[in-house]
Amino acid sequence: MSLQIAFVFASLVVLAFGDRAPVYGAPPTYAPPAYAAPVPKYVAPVSYNEPVYPDEPPKYTFNYGVADDYSGANFGHSESRDGYNTQGSYTVNLPDGRIQTVTYYDNGDGLVAEVTYQGEAVYPEYAPAYKPAPAYKPAPAYEPAPAYSAPIIPAYA
């Protein structure tokens, strides 16, 4: 009987406190993080000024040269200009052994060039490598295949 009383008492305790939800307090409210709003900065409009070019005629002088004994490259170029008067020359070693020199000038009315060559053109003599026609061997003689014979299967007793 005491077991029954303990069961009834436990049931009453569960019924009395079982329907109550736990109290946690008010739910938190969501607020976005507080960031400082960017302050737009005033940017003055950029004024574009057309570049000013001097009204002077061009005037320059340049020259360069390359001499490489390993590869055989040998060339150069020089030019000078004063206003519309342009003068220059360049040299190139040609593959046939000659040196080509181009001298030019321009007074504003068109380019005038003079091409000269130094040396004699040398070409290697063409000598085709003779190859004899290939020698063909006759086809091997045809030998018929051996006749097929059925294997002999021993009889087991």
Side-chain angles (χ1 to χ4, degrees):
M1 177 95 158
S2 67
L3 186 61
Q4 291 176 347
I5 295 176
F7 181 73
V8 171
F9 181 72
S11 299
L12 289 175
V13 170
V14 168
L15 286 176
F17 294 108
D19 63 342
R20 292 189 184 179
V23 178
Y24 294 111
T29 58
Y30 175 75
Y35 294 114
V39 178
K41 295 182 180 180
Y42 176 74
V43 178
V46 178
S47 63
Y48 177 74
N49 295 330
E50 188 72 28
V52 178
Y53 297 106
D55 246 358
E56 300 173 5
K59 187 173 186 177
Y60 63 85
T61 299
F62 76 87
N63 60 27
Y64 68 88
V66 174
D68 184 14
D69 293 334
Y70 181 75
S71 67
N74 190 358
F75 55 90
H77 187 187
S78 64
E79 181 175 294
S80 63
R81 181 172 180 181
D82 188 3
Y84 289 107
N85 184 14
T86 305
Q87 299 177 9
S89 68
Y90 61 89
T91 60
V92 178
N93 281 11
L94 299 175
D96 61 8
R98 298 179 295 165
I99 299 174
Q100 177 184 22
T101 304
V102 178
T103 305
Y104 59 91
Y105 67 91
D106 184 4
N107 294 327
D109 54 356
L111 181 71
V112 178
E114 178 186 351
V115 181
T116 59
Y117 296 95
Q118 296 174 354
E120 187 69 29
V122 178
Y123 300 103
E125 185 174 326
Y126 177 70
Y130 175 73
K131 294 182 181 178
Y136 293 103
K137 296 180 183 176
Y142 173 74
E143 295 180 17
Y148 176 75
S149 62
I152 300 172
I153 300 174
Y156 293 103

